[in-house]
Amino acid sequence: MKPRIVEVREGILRKNDVLARELRERFRSSRLGVVSLVSSPGAGKTALLERTLSALKDTKRVAALVGDLATDNDARRLERAGVPVRQITTGTVCHLEAQMVAQALDGWDLEALDLLFVENVGNLVCPASYDLGEDLRVVLMSVTEGEDKPLKYPTIFNSADLAIITKADLAEAAGFRRDEARRSIEAVRPGLEVLETSARTGQGMDRWLERLASLPVSRH
Amino acid sequence: MKPRIVEVREGILRKNDVLARELRERFRSSRLGVVSLVSSPGAGKTALLERTLSALKDTKRVAALVGDLATDNDARRLERAGVPVRQITTGTVCHLEAQMVAQALDGWDLEALDLLFVENVGNLVCPASYDLGEDLRVVLMSVTEGEDKPLKYPTIFNSADLAIITKADLAEAAGFRRDEARRSIEAVRPGLEVLETSARTGQGMDRWLERLASLPVSRH
């Protein structure tokens, strides 16, 4: 039975890669920067996004797609920032696929946007293999999750372009060992850029916003 | 393509259910109580287990299996409690299956044990549908994860027999809203028993150990 599953899975991934390439082309030709966020459930993707959208909305045209198995809680939270938001509910599927992103964008004028954030389903395994056509894939881990998460979930850290250590305001209370976390990241993805933020206090937001300022990537 | 995937998936689940039933029979005839733990990555399964194994080892014959995609960090942590522990590394698979549990138990004399803990891969989606033959399935959520996790991941909360809210020592620092978390759990699984623990301070451990004292379930 195993070979058959692998074969079906590879078919799905190939199909996703083709769609993701098409999406990436659309994003590029619309000069739209796309940033995706992946993490465990509860690592703080939505909290970071809330703060990010609020900070950017006066200077950039920003929007967001948010994935969840159930509920539109996150879309409703993000809408409070006053920017366009759409929820993708995946049912039992533990990741977003390029197809879901394409469908959620239906009817949106991408030329009228500068930056699109895509918040994946909270999962450190499933989203790793699915390209969504993004320019920047950000993996988040909170200071309360344990410093060895990168070692335990190497694939998702390997697929990321940037790591953000979140909930920095809880670092002391949680007894967070910064050096050990950095070493874990470095072990699975040498050279990966790491930022540290607190969406609650605003710590580290300036560096994160600076990082976003380079998007969309220049076409020249 | 979709029907084919569904069909393959159902085949896997059926096969798992048959194996899980066989496991459950083996556990019962050996008078072995089996407790599985599921949660997000970093919710504190291993920390709770460390403390639990240490507390129980002088009065019960306990052992543990721990699942992870990569590393044997958790097995090494738990071995410090001085009880038998085996690591199951799943590679890219985001859950344990009955087959993996059966294989990991190979050579163990189940009659010589009273309680076996099975720590699943950190994931709030994938493990939901896989019966491992356990008597008690415990879902953990930490006070730092967000009070609406049960609403977003209803299936896994639905499949559980007990919920534990972990890292209670961080509740205040994290601004944890207890009532809202309880309401979320109640909404997806009315009547589910909920405990609150801190593996760091020991808070709530007495009630948890009391709950475990009823295992293995009497055969009469």
Side-chain angles (χ1 to χ4, degrees), chain A residues 1 4-5 7-9 11-12 40-42 46 68-71 73-74 77 92-94 121-126 144-146 148-149 151-155 167 169-170 172-175 200, chain B residues 1 4-5 7-9 11-12 40-42 46 68-71 73-74 77 92-94 121-126 144-146 148-149 151-155 167 169-170 172-175 200:
Chain A
M1 205 132 161
R4 197 177 156 204
I5 304 168
E7 185 197 302
V8 172
R9 186 146 191 274
I12 295 171
S40 300
T46 313
D68 267 309
L69 269 68
T71 82
N73 290 6
D74 287 356
R77 271 174 71 183
T92 57
V93 178
C94 50
V121 177
N123 204 296
L124 277 185
V125 183
C126 316
T144 63
E145 276 174 69
D148 64 349
K149 284 296 157 292
L151 303 177
K152 288 180 172 179
Y153 302 87
T155 315
K167 308 193 189 180
D169 57 297
L170 292 177
E172 207 184 316
R200 198 197 259 172
Chain B
M1 205 133 160
R4 197 178 158 206
I5 302 168
E7 185 197 301
V8 172
R9 188 149 188 273
I12 295 171
S40 301
T46 314
D68 267 307
L69 268 69
T71 82
N73 291 3
D74 287 356
R77 272 175 70 183
T92 57
V93 178
C94 50
V121 177
N123 205 296
L124 277 184
V125 183
C126 316
T144 64
E145 277 174 69
D148 64 349
K149 284 297 155 296
L151 303 177
K152 288 179 171 179
Y153 302 86
T155 314
K167 306 191 190 182
D169 57 297
L170 291 178
E172 207 184 317
R200 200 198 259 173

Side-chain angles (χ1 to χ4, degrees), chain B residues 108-172:
Chain B
W108 268 9
D109 177 11
L110 300 187
E111 307 268 347
L113 291 174
D114 298 313
L115 259 184
L116 172 71
F117 293 91
V118 182
E119 180 185 331
N120 218 312
V121 177
N123 205 296
L124 277 184
V125 183
C126 316
S129 327
Y130 291 85
D131 183 2
L132 304 179
E134 66 268 64
D135 298 297
L136 189 75
R137 179 178 292 201
V138 184
V139 62
L140 283 68
M141 66 179 276
S142 71
V143 298
T144 64
E145 277 174 69
E147 295 78 0
D148 64 349
K149 284 297 155 296
L151 303 177
K152 288 179 171 179
Y153 302 86
T155 314
I156 200 125
F157 279 82
N158 243 299
S159 78
D161 306 298
L162 172 68
I164 298 187
I165 297 174
T166 58
K167 306 191 190 182
D169 57 297
L170 291 178
E172 207 184 317

Side-chain angles (χ1 to χ4, degrees), chain A residues 43 48 138-145 147 150 157 162-169 171 176-183 185 193-199 203-204:
Chain A
L48 179 71
V138 184
V139 62
L140 283 69
M141 65 178 275
S142 71
V143 298
T144 63
E145 276 174 69
E147 295 79 1
F157 279 81
L162 172 69
I164 298 187
I165 296 172
T166 58
K167 308 193 189 180
D169 57 297
F176 178 62
R177 297 182 298 274
R178 178 168 291 104
D179 290 352
E180 193 183 329
R182 297 268 180 158
R183 267 199 304 278
I185 294 172
E193 189 184 348
V194 183
L195 301 179
E196 213 165 297
T197 62
S198 164
Q203 179 190 332

